[in-house]
Amino acid sequence: MLTMAMTRAASGLLRALLERTGDQSSRILLSEIQSVDWQSLTFTGETHLLWLRVPGPNADRIVGRLTANLGNAEFAIPGHLVADIAVASAPSCAFDGSVTLAIEALTIAD
């Protein structure tokens, strides 16, 4: 099921991602988010796809901080664990210096 409203897991994931950029978090814009229910035999959760845009200048530095060692990062999301997270496609730079990227993640209910 595709959810149009941001779920608690998605909201927590976005907050945790923004924290990775420190004082530059206000420069990251959420363009779109999709969350889909996910389950295995023993776990329930959601898959998420977030499209983020960082306006220039120095957008590439902020994106670098956000994505550095992303797959090994620890995230504090109440009631959820981030089981998997990765950059979904290479960040793209626009003529105005902004950078757009997509991040996909799997969160599991704790």
Side-chain angles (χ1 to χ4, degrees):
M1 170 182 179
L2 178 66
T3 54
M4 299 314 274
M6 191 178 303
T7 65
R8 288 191 342 183
S11 177
L13 178 62
L14 178 59
R15 240 184 337 272
L17 285 168
L18 293 176
E19 286 175 6
R20 291 178 55 85
T21 62
D23 63 345
Q24 298 296 308
S25 64
S26 63
R27 293 193 47 206
I28 299 174
L29 308 170
L30 176 64
S31 300
E32 186 177 342
I33 188 165
Q34 293 178 357
S35 296
V36 178
D37 292 338
W38 175 93
Q39 61 186 2
S40 69
L41 290 175
T42 54
F43 299 106
T44 60
E46 299 172 6
T47 60
H48 310 279
L49 186 55
L50 297 90
W51 285 270
L52 305 172
R53 182 176 173 271
V54 182
N58 300 319
D60 54 343
R61 184 176 52 88
I62 295 168
V63 168
R65 189 183 304 173
L66 176 68
T67 59
N69 208 20
L70 186 62
N72 295 321
E74 300 269 336
F75 295 94
I77 303 172
H80 302 276
L81 301 171
V82 177
D84 191 28
I85 188 165
V87 175
S89 61
S92 63
C93 189
F95 290 114
D96 65 357
S98 66
V99 176
T100 302
L101 74 150
I103 295 177
E104 57 187 351
L106 170 62
T107 56
I108 305 292
D110 196 12

